[in-house]
Amino acid sequence: MNLIAKRREKNLLPKIAQLCEFYETEEDSENWQLKQLNRLWEGYIQDLPIVASAVQAGEYPRQFSSLKEFAETVPSIGRRGLAGRMQECSIAYPASDAFRTTAGSTSEPISLPAWKLEFEQAAASQWLGRAWQGVRPSDRLFLLWGHT
């Protein structure tokens, strides 16, 4: 095991263990996600006029009783819809640490704010899935990426 692998493992193992708490059962995971969604939703109602007016008009509830209710109630906004409404659909704080630009197969780039914590949490989540298969952060890997 080389120095980089040891350091990656030392940094990620506590985060992976913490994530395991949320995934003991599907019900536990969904309950935690719903609680976090409702906590964030409360802030969106306060800070995003587009959400506040929809709640006031009765289009959206003040809280969701399930993740399914959220998925069935709040419409998805596609790349084109978001590109022209970024200010309307964004909260200005905390200030982003970077921007992630995506174009994918549409060739329509859009820049989305990103935060350092987001990258750290994503790394731990990726390794959680690998840990379920017995792969440790110190293991040598060759990762393939792509879609069909």
Side-chain angles (χ1 to χ4, degrees), residues 51-73:
V51 174
S53 61
V55 168
Q56 193 171 28
E59 296 173 35
Y60 303 156
R62 291 200 70 75
Q63 277 199 323
F64 295 96
S65 59
S66 69
L67 297 175
K68 182 179 180 184
E69 179 188 17
F70 174 79
E72 292 174 348
T73 304

Side-chain angles (χ1 to χ4, degrees), residues 129-143:
R130 294 172 186 149
W132 288 339
Q133 302 302 316
V135 179
R136 298 179 57 90
S138 59
D139 289 347
R140 289 183 171 198
L141 297 174
F142 181 78
L143 302 174

Side-chain angles (χ1 to χ4, degrees), residues 9-112:
E9 185 162 275
K10 181 181 177 186
N11 289 338
L12 287 171
L13 283 181
K15 295 173 185 175
I16 292 168
Q18 187 179 24
L19 282 174
C20 283
E21 295 175 22
F22 300 117
Y23 294 100
E24 286 189 27
T25 69
E26 189 173 335
E27 184 180 353
D28 289 342
S29 175
E30 286 184 10
N31 288 337
W32 182 85
Q33 290 173 5
L34 179 62
K35 181 179 175 183
Q36 297 305 311
L37 171 66
N38 281 321
R39 182 181 62 80
L40 291 170
W41 188 249
E42 189 176 306
Y44 298 158
I45 293 170
Q46 292 175 2
D47 299 330
L48 290 173
I50 190 171
V51 174
S53 61
V55 168
Q56 193 171 28
E59 296 173 35
Y60 303 156
R62 291 200 70 75
Q63 277 199 323
F64 295 96
S65 59
S66 69
L67 297 175
K68 182 179 180 184
E69 179 188 17
F70 174 79
E72 292 174 348
T73 304
V74 179
S76 296
I77 298 176
R79 180 185 310 269
R80 287 187 183 127
L82 185 59
R85 301 167 66 188
M86 189 62 82
Q87 287 297 119
E88 184 183 5
C89 297
S90 298
I91 296 174
Y93 63 89
S96 62
D97 298 315
F99 282 89
R100 187 179 296 183
T101 301
T102 175
S105 58
T106 65
S107 297
E108 295 177 26
I110 187 168
S111 291
L112 302 169

